[in-house]
Amino acid sequence: MFTVFGHSGSAERRELSSDHLHLALGRSCHHRSGYVDINVKMGLVFGLLWLFNIFLEGIHCQGVYAPPTVRIIHSGHACNIEEERYTERVYTIREGETLELACLVSGHPRPQIRWTKTAGSASDRFQDSSVFNETLRIIRIQRHQGGRYYCKAENGLGSPAIKSIRVDVYYLDDPIVTVHQSIGEAKEQFYYERTVFLRCMANSNPPVRYSWRRGKEFLSQGSDKGVEIYEPFFTQGETKILKLKNLRPQDYANYSCIASVRNVCGIPEKNVLFKLSNKTASPTIKLLVEDPIVVNPGQSVTLVCVTSGGEPTPTLTWVRNTDELSKKSRLNGGTLTLPSISMEEAGVYSCVASNNVGNPAKKSTAIVVRGLKKGRFWITPDPYHNDDNIQIGREVKISCQVEATPPEELLFSWLKNGRPLRSSERMVITHTDPDVQPGTTNLDIIDLKFTDFGTYTCVAALKNGGIPEVSIDVNISSTTVPPELTVPRGKSPMVVQEGDTVDLQCLVSGKPKPIILWSRADKEVPMPDGSLQTESYDGVLRIVNVSREMTGTYRCATSQYNGFNVKPREALVELTVQYPPVVEPVFTEIRQGLGRAFTLNCRVLRAHPSKVLKYEWKLGTRLLTMGQFDQRDETDYHVRALNREGYGEYTCEVTNEAGAGACRFLVTGRAYAPEFYYDTYSALWQNRPRVYGFKLQWTQQNPLSVDRIVAYRLGMKQTGQSRWWEQEIPMEGAIAKGELITHNLTELIKPEAYLVRLTPITRFGEGDSTDRIIRYSAPVNSHLREFQCSFEDEAVCMFTQDKTDDFDWTRHSAATRDTKYTPNTGPSSDRAGSKQGFYMYIETSRPRLEGEKARLLTPTFNVAHKSPYGTVTAAPTYCFGFYYHMYGKHIGALNAYLRQKGHSGSDSSLWNLVGNQGDRWKQAKVNIHPIASFQLVLEGIRGPGIEGDIAIDDVTIEEGECKDPPPNSKLGQKFTYTKLTVPLNSLENSRK
C-alpha cells in the first residue's frame, strides 16, 4: 500500500532538509494495476498485513467523509460540574474567574465551529456576536454572563452537530441590614409596645443562608422569648428578619447578620454589623433653599441639604426628576452646585437621606430657569365671511404666541409702526390665561380701514427683565394676501440619477410667506432625514446623495404659522430615481478542465429604467457578443470546449440610462484545496530517541472539477523559522472524490512543531494550498504502553527545564560529581548502583537560597485511546513512578505535579516529601487519571543549607494501576481531575 522513497540522514541537525525526511505515499480506495495488487507474489503474510492495514484505516471512497460530531470539554476555574443530568449539563463557576469551554469535533471535511448563547434574560446578548473558534474564553466572568452556551459544528454533510452546557455563575454580595419599627397602642393605654424589625438581605447565587448574632451570641428561633426569627413567605428566601418584640434594655446591642452560601466555589461568608441603641432613628432633613428657585440662564445655583436627625448618620444624595444629575454639576456632601445653569437643567431636584432605618427621607425643590422661546404669529381673516382675503370694512385678527418660563411672568405689548398701541373699541387686545402654555395674545381690528394698514409688532417680555425681549413684526396692507402654492414648470416629475443631489421646489406666493412643510404623500413613510415632516422657509427641499428608496410623491403644504390661518395650500412633486441595473452574480469563480463545455448566466434583479437594457459579453477586453434584453431578465454565454485561451475573467455588462451593472466570472483551471484528515488513528509514532514520524492524510476537494492532479507540492518548515523545504509528490491516475491519500513523514526532530503546506498541481498550474500544524506529543508506546527514562542519553528523554523557576536540574553521574564541598549529601551512584550511570539532581550549594525551586518537565503525553475512533469514555489510569534520593541534613522538599493542557497556571499535586530520607534510593508510585494531553512536573525545593542535594532517576509511566506500590506512594488517594478545555490543535494527534 505504501511506496517508500527518500533516504535517511543525520537526526542531529536541527535544520529541516531533504536528508531529514523519510516519505511514504499511499492512497486508499482505488487500487490500480501497476500500483499495488494482492496476489500470490506478495506472499500470504504480507497480504494479510496489507489487508489489516486497510481495515485499520476504515476507509472506502465515500466513507472518509463524515458529518460532524461534537462534545464540550471545560477547564478554567470550575468549582462544580454536574455531568449529563436528565436535561442539561451545568458548569458552575465563581464570578470573576475565567471561563474556558472548548468544542472537540470530528468529521471530514474539518467542521467549522460557532459558539452562541441564550442568556437568562431576553435582552442579554453574547458579546453582540457569535464566536467562531474552538475555544470560548471569558476572562473575569460576570453574573449576567451566565446562561446556556451552544457549540455548533457543521461541514456541509448532514445536520449540524450541536451540544450545549449551562454556565451558572456563583456570587455573594455584601449583606445590607434595614431597620423598621412599629409602635402600637394597647391595653387601655397603660403602655406602648415598641417592636423593631431588622431585615437582612444579600444578592447571591445560590440562595443565601442567613444567621444572626447579638454581640458574640448566636441567635436562633426559641433561644430568647423576646426574639423571633422568620422568613416572610412572599420573599422566597431572599431575606431573614429578626423581630425584637416589645423592645427591652438588653436588646440595645450590636447585631451581626452573616450571609453564607455554604462556601460553594470557595466564596467566603460575609457579614454586616448594625448597632441598635435608644438613639436609633430614621433620617430627617432640611432644605436650606427656597421653593421654587427662579434664576436666569448662566447663573450659578447652590442647593443645600442638611440632616436634622437620624442614627446612624444618614448619607445624602441628590437626584433630578428621578434621573442622574448633569455632568457639570458638583456634589459635596449635601451641597449641590449647578454652575452656569441652562434651561435644559430646570426641573425638580430632590435630596434623599438614608441610613437603612425606616424609610428614606426626601425633600424636593423646583428650579425654574427664566426664558422666552418659539415666537410665531398668524393672521385670521374675518371668520364671519367665507373669504380668505383681507378686505376693507371687515374684521382681521393678528395672533402672537410665545413660550415663557415662568408663564406667570409673561407680558405682551403691541406696537403699530413702532408706536405703542392700546386696546380700544376697534383695536381689541386680549391675552390668554397665564397658566395656559404657550402664552398667546390677539389683536382684533374691527372694521378695517385704510388707516389701519401698517406694521404691527408683538413684543413679549418677562417681569423684572433680565431676559431679552421677543418681538414679531406683522405687515397688514393691500398686498397682504393668503398664500398660494405652485410647482415650477419642469420641476415635477423630477428624474435624477442615484447619488445625485436634487432640489424639490414649491413656489409660494402671498404676503407674508408662511413656513412650508414637506412630507411624503404616504404619511407613514419617513422623509430622507428620518423625520415625518421637514420645515422649509424658501419652499425648497434639498436631498443629498439621493437613493432609489427615495422614489415617490412628496407633498409641500403651507403652515398656519407666520402666515394666514386658513386652510393649508398643498402641491405634489413626483421624484423618480434612476439607477443602474442590479445583477447577479456580482462575482463567481468557475473551475473547469480543458475541453469541457459550460454556460455563464447573468441575471438582472432590478433596474430603472428597465425597458431598454443592453448587454455585452467580454473576455478580458475582447468583445465576445452583444445584444438587447427582450422579455427575459437574463442572458447566457455558452463555451462549447474550453481551451487555454478561454481561461480568464468574463464580464457581462448590462447598461441602461443610469449606468451599468456587471456580472464577473473568473474561469480558471486551478485545483481546489486539499482537505487534511484530522481523525487519523495513531498518526504520530516514534521508534528512535530524537525523531518522530507522522502519518499525513488528506482528501482532494472536488477532484473531478478540473484537469487531473498530476502531483502535490509539499512544503514544510519548523514553526518559528523562515526556511522552507519543498518536495513534489507525483500522482498516478485520477483521484476520486473521497479518496484518502496518505503520506508518511519521518525524521521529524523532537520536540519541534512543523507547518505543513500542501498544494495540488495540474497542467494548468498550482492550485489552492492548505496549511496545518503538526505538533509533537510524546506518545505512550503503542505496544509496551509505557515510557521509561534513566537519563543516560544527553537528550534526557526530551525532559525540559521550566523557564519560570529559580534554577535548573542538572544531569550528573557519581563518577564526575565533585563532593569536596558537600560530602554529606547526594547519591554515590545511580539507582542501579553504577557510578558511571546518570541521574538528575539539584545542586544546593551557593548561590542557591532557601526556598528556591527547580522544576523538571516530562515530554507531553497523549491520553491513550480505548477505541480506534479516539473516544475516551472515562479518564484512563496510568502509573507514574520514579526513584528519589534525599540525603543530607539540609534537605528541603520534593514535589510531583500533574499539568494538563488547557489548565494553564494550575498544576495538580500528586506527591510530596520533606526532609532527610537517608543515604539510599527509594521508589515512589502514584496513579494518575488525565483526560487531556499532559506533562508531569518534578519540583525540588532548596532547604536551609548546602547539604540538601536531591536526585531522581528511572522515571516511568505505565498504563494501568500501579502494582506493588511502595508504602509512601499515596496510592490510597484517588486523583480525579476536572475535564479541561484544550485547544483542538493541541489534541490533533490524540484523536482518531
Side-chain angles (χ1 to χ4, degrees):
M1 182 176 178
F2 296 110
T3 302
V4 180
F5 59 95
H7 57 86
S8 62
S10 172
E12 294 291 333
R13 296 175 57 191
R14 289 287 172 172
E15 292 184 351
L16 185 62
S17 66
S18 59
D19 292 338
H20 282 77
L21 294 177
H22 282 183
L23 303 168
L25 175 65
R27 292 164 64 178
S28 300
C29 176
H30 292 280
H31 308 289
R32 306 169 189 76
S33 60
Y35 189 72
V36 66
D37 290 315
I38 301 177
N39 52 37
V40 178
K41 294 180 181 179
M42 295 171 61
L44 180 61
V45 174
F46 182 74
L48 290 174
L49 289 175
W50 187 85
L51 287 172
F52 181 66
N53 189 42
I54 290 291
F55 171 75
L56 287 180
E57 296 292 346
I59 304 297
H60 55 79
C61 274
Q62 298 299 325
V64 69
Y65 288 105
T69 62
V70 62
R71 63 189 179 101
I72 297 175
I73 63 173
H74 33 69
S75 68
H77 297 80
C79 45
N80 185 36
I81 308 292
E82 297 182 40
E83 297 286 356
E84 303 298 348
R85 303 201 316 179
Y86 292 108
T87 57
E88 62 183 353
R89 300 168 67 203
V90 181
Y91 177 97
T92 304
I93 188 170
R94 180 174 173 175
E95 187 173 49
E97 300 290 355
T98 296
L99 170 71
E100 283 188 3
L101 300 174
C103 250
L104 296 188
V105 298
S106 63
H108 187 73
R110 187 70 165 171
Q112 296 293 317
I113 295 176
R114 177 185 180 189
W115 282 99
T116 56
K117 171 179 179 269
T118 55
S121 63
S123 61
D124 190 23
R125 299 181 65 192
F126 176 39
Q127 299 179 350
D128 293 326
S129 64
S130 301
V131 172
F132 294 86
N133 197 3
E134 290 91 345
T135 301
L136 171 65
R137 181 179 175 89
I138 302 177
I139 300 173
R140 293 185 293 277
I141 191 169
Q142 299 301 305
R143 63 194 66 179
H144 69 272
Q145 293 173 306
R148 176 164 294 281
Y149 288 82
Y150 294 86
C151 174
K152 180 179 180 181
E154 51 188 340
N155 64 356
L157 299 178
S159 300
I162 301 175
K163 289 290 185 180
S164 69
I165 186 169
R166 184 165 67 84
V167 176
D168 203 2
V169 182
Y170 277 9
Y171 58 92
L172 174 61
D173 291 343
D174 291 328
I176 298 174
V177 170
T178 57
V179 181
H180 300 270
Q181 68 176 7
S182 65
I183 301 176
E185 191 175 349
K187 293 191 178 181
E188 299 178 355
Q189 301 182 359
F190 286 127
Y191 69 91
Y192 290 93
E193 181 185 89
R194 185 181 181 193
T195 299
V196 173
F197 300 87
L198 278 72
R199 180 193 297 266
C200 187
M201 295 185 65
N203 295 321
S204 72
N205 183 34
V208 69
R209 237 179 232 177
Y210 300 97
S211 57
W212 283 97
R213 193 169 59 196
R214 180 168 56 196
K216 296 183 179 180
E217 172 194 6
F218 275 96
L219 299 176
S220 59
Q221 185 65 30
S223 64
D224 187 330
K225 292 182 179 180
V227 175
E228 183 179 344
I229 301 175
Y230 67 96
E231 295 181 3
F233 174 75
F234 60 86
T235 62
Q236 300 180 353
E238 295 176 357
T239 182
K240 180 160 282 191
I241 294 178
L242 180 67
K243 180 180 180 181
L244 305 176
K245 300 179 291 185
N246 193 16
L247 203 62
R248 306 162 298 176
Q250 61 265 35
D251 293 329
Y252 294 122
N254 291 334
Y255 290 86
S256 297
C257 172
I258 298 97
S260 169
V261 289
R262 299 162 294 285
N263 203 38
V264 296
C265 286
I267 299 176
E269 65 183 24
K270 296 185 178 182
N271 64 80
V272 60
L273 178 68
F274 186 86
K275 182 179 181 181
L276 182 66
S277 71
N278 58 0
K279 296 181 181 180
T280 300
S282 56
T284 57
I285 56 175
K286 292 181 180 179
L287 284 184
L288 305 183
V289 293
E290 298 177 356
D291 184 30
I293 302 172
V294 181
V295 296
N296 291 331
Q299 287 185 323
S300 180
V301 179
T302 300
L303 306 179
V304 180
C305 178
V306 296
T307 58
S308 55
E311 178 68 31
T313 302
T315 57
L316 299 176
T317 58
W318 280 94
V319 294
R320 170 179 171 260
N321 299 336
T322 70
D323 296 330
E324 294 183 357
L325 301 173
S326 65
K327 293 183 179 180
K328 67 179 183 179
S329 61
R330 298 193 297 267
L331 186 60
N332 182 13
T335 302
L336 173 65
T337 302
L338 304 171
S340 186
I341 196 168
S342 63
M343 295 188 69
E344 290 74 20
E345 294 175 282
V348 177
Y349 286 76
S350 301
C351 175
V352 181
S354 176
N355 65 352
N356 292 337
V357 178
N359 295 320
K362 179 179 179 181
K363 288 198 173 183
S364 305
T365 185
I367 296 180
V368 178
V369 181
R370 302 170 74 239
L372 297 169
K373 60 181 181 180
K374 289 190 177 178
R376 50 197 179 185
F377 75 93
W378 59 92
I379 302 170
T380 305
D382 190 346
Y384 303 107
H385 296 81
N386 188 18
D387 194 342
D388 291 343
N389 293 293
I390 297 175
Q391 295 187 22
I392 297 297
R394 293 184 182 178
E395 180 182 341
V396 62
K397 180 166 66 174
I398 306 172
S399 301
C400 177
Q401 192 177 80
V402 175
E403 291 185 10
T405 305
E408 64 271 14
E409 290 192 20
L410 178 60
L411 297 176
F412 280 115
S413 61
W414 284 90
L415 304 176
K416 179 184 178 184
N417 297 327
R419 295 180 180 180
L421 184 65
R422 300 184 184 278
S423 182
S424 64
E425 290 184 359
R426 280 199 330 104
M427 298 283 184
V428 181
I429 299 175
T430 59
H431 306 298
T432 58
D433 189 327
D435 294 333
V436 178
Q437 277 277 61
T440 305
T441 181
N442 299 306
L443 172 61
D444 278 293
I445 305 175
I446 310 299
D447 189 15
L448 182 67
K449 302 179 183 300
F450 282 107
T451 56
D452 295 329
F453 288 166
T455 299
Y456 293 84
T457 304
C458 166
V459 180
L462 293 180
K463 292 179 183 178
N464 303 321
I467 299 297
E469 296 178 341
V470 173
S471 61
I472 302 171
D473 293 335
V474 182
N475 185 264
I476 301 296
S477 69
S478 58
T479 60
T480 302
V481 292
E484 293 297 333
L485 273 181
T486 58
V487 177
R489 180 174 297 181
K491 292 295 185 179
S492 181
M494 293 286 292
V495 179
V496 297
Q497 305 291 323
E498 190 170 39
D500 290 349
T501 296
V502 60
D503 287 337
L504 305 186
Q505 186 176 5
C506 280
L507 291 179
V508 57
S509 61
K511 185 178 180 181
K513 289 185 179 181
I515 298 172
I516 302 301
L517 303 178
W518 283 93
S519 63
R520 299 289 287 261
D522 182 353
K523 295 183 179 180
E524 295 182 358
V525 179
M527 295 289 286
D529 62 358
S531 64
L532 292 177
Q533 187 171 269
T534 302
E535 290 186 352
S536 170
Y537 289 88
D538 59 1
V540 175
L541 174 65
R542 170 162 289 190
I543 305 176
V544 179
N545 192 22
V546 67
S547 64
R548 63 195 68 177
E549 294 81 11
M550 298 175 189
T551 294
T553 303
Y554 290 77
R555 174 186 288 112
C556 61
T558 59
S559 167
Q560 76 172 78
Y561 301 118
N562 297 0
F564 274 72
N565 184 19
V566 295
K567 183 179 179 180
R569 274 53 169 169
E570 294 183 354
L572 299 177
V573 177
E574 293 287 339
L575 175 63
T576 300
V577 181
Q578 294 184 343
Y579 52 90
V582 178
V583 298
E584 70 171 11
V586 175
F587 176 83
T588 189
E589 186 181 52
I590 297 177
R591 306 198 183 202
Q592 287 289 346
L594 292 172
R596 300 183 187 180
F598 60 93
T599 299
L600 306 179
N601 174 267
C602 182
R603 186 161 68 94
V604 178
L605 300 178
R606 53 191 174 274
H608 192 86
S610 58
K611 296 294 184 182
V612 182
L613 293 176
K614 299 178 180 179
Y615 65 84
E616 288 184 350
W617 283 95
K618 295 181 179 180
L619 174 57
T621 58
R622 180 164 59 94
L623 180 64
L624 301 174
T625 184
M626 60 187 298
Q628 184 171 317
F629 284 87
D630 43 25
Q631 300 298 321
R632 301 177 64 214
D633 60 357
E634 58 186 357
T635 174
D636 296 329
Y637 183 77
H638 303 282
V639 176
R640 292 181 174 81
L642 181 65
N643 56 30
R644 288 191 175 274
E645 291 72 25
Y647 287 121
E649 183 172 277
Y650 291 74
T651 303
C652 175
E653 190 173 84
V654 182
T655 58
N656 65 0
E657 295 177 18
C663 298
R664 288 182 170 81
F665 306 86
L666 179 61
V667 178
T668 175
R670 286 173 60 91
Y672 287 95
E675 303 163 317
F676 280 118
Y677 188 64
Y678 286 83
D679 297 333
T680 304
Y681 178 61
S682 298
L684 186 146
W685 76 90
Q686 61 178 19
N687 51 17
R688 292 168 57 192
R690 297 186 179 90
V691 297
Y692 68 99
F694 190 85
K695 183 188 294 184
L696 190 69
Q697 292 186 307
W698 70 91
T699 59
Q700 177 60 42
Q701 182 184 169
N702 301 325
L704 304 179
S705 297
V706 295
D707 291 331
R708 183 180 71 83
I709 295 172
V710 297
Y712 285 95
R713 175 166 288 108
L714 174 70
M716 292 184 63
K717 71 168 185 174
Q718 290 184 11
T719 56
Q721 296 189 7
S722 58
R723 182 179 178 186
W724 285 84
W725 174 87
E726 290 187 345
Q727 178 180 352
E728 197 166 285
I729 306 169
M731 292 284 111
E732 297 292 337
I735 299 174
K737 182 176 178 60
E739 181 177 346
L740 189 66
I741 304 170
T742 300
H743 193 75
N744 288 338
L745 307 176
T746 62
E747 303 296 329
L748 304 178
I749 308 301
K750 297 181 186 177
E752 303 296 337
Y754 292 85
L755 173 63
V756 177
R757 178 170 295 161
L758 201 61
T759 307
I761 301 173
T762 64
R763 55 178 173 171
F764 175 84
E766 291 190 356
D768 296 342
S769 299
T770 302
D771 293 354
R772 74 167 291 181
I773 298 291
I774 295 175
R775 300 184 187 280
Y776 173 74
S777 182
V780 175
N781 187 286
S782 59
H783 301 292
L784 300 178
R785 296 291 182 185
E786 65 180 16
F787 170 84
Q788 296 179 343
C789 184
S790 57
F791 304 110
E792 299 303 319
D793 195 325
E794 288 186 6
V796 292
C797 311
M798 305 311 296
F799 276 73
T800 56
Q801 307 284 351
D802 192 335
K803 297 180 181 180
T804 63
D805 57 9
D806 302 308
F807 64 108
D808 290 341
W809 288 78
T810 304
R811 176 175 174 267
H812 229 303
S813 70
T816 58
R817 181 168 176 266
D818 185 2
T819 58
K820 177 179 179 180
Y821 296 105
T822 53
N824 299 318
T825 187
S828 57
S829 65
D830 70 355
R831 200 278 305 178
S834 169
K835 291 188 177 294
Q836 282 71 39
F838 286 86
Y839 52 86
M840 301 294 289
Y841 87 110
I842 61 169
E843 174 59 65
T844 58
S845 301
R846 294 180 180 87
R848 301 276 70 83
L849 302 175
E850 183 177 2
E852 290 188 337
K853 299 176 181 179
R855 282 188 290 270
L856 190 66
L857 311 180
T858 68
T860 300
F861 298 95
N862 288 332
V863 174
H865 299 302
K866 298 299 182 180
S867 74
Y869 304 105
T871 56
V872 181
T873 57
T877 300
Y878 296 98
C879 178
F880 169 47
F882 60 94
Y883 284 83
Y884 61 90
H885 190 283
M886 301 173 66
Y887 169 56
K889 63 181 180 180
H890 298 142
I891 289 292
L894 179 61
N895 302 317
Y897 299 96
L898 176 68
R899 176 177 296 178
Q900 301 193 70
K901 274 195 175 181
H903 207 196
S904 59
S906 181
D907 297 338
S908 302
S909 177
L910 298 174
W911 181 94
N912 60 80
L913 196 60
V914 178
N916 188 358
Q917 305 298 315
D919 188 10
R920 59 186 177 277
W921 287 94
K922 296 183 179 180
Q923 189 180 25
K925 288 185 177 180
V926 62
N927 291 326
I928 60 174
H929 306 269
I931 62 94
S933 299
F934 67 95
Q935 290 177 288
L936 293 155
V937 182
L938 290 162
E939 178 185 72
I941 303 178
R942 203 256 196 190
I946 63 174
E947 296 182 12
D949 295 351
I950 299 174
I952 59 170
D953 201 359
D954 290 354
V955 178
T956 61
I957 302 173
E958 299 177 348
E959 189 175 44
E961 297 278 348
C962 292
K963 300 179 177 64
D964 302 322
N968 61 345
S969 291
K970 298 188 178 183
L971 290 183
Q973 299 183 13
K974 191 72 173 179
F975 295 92
T976 303
Y977 300 98
T978 304
K979 290 183 179 180
L980 301 180
T981 301
V982 183
L984 292 181
N985 58 10
S986 67
L987 293 179
E988 57 192 2
N989 297 332
S990 65
R991 292 196 296 275
K992 181 172 76 174

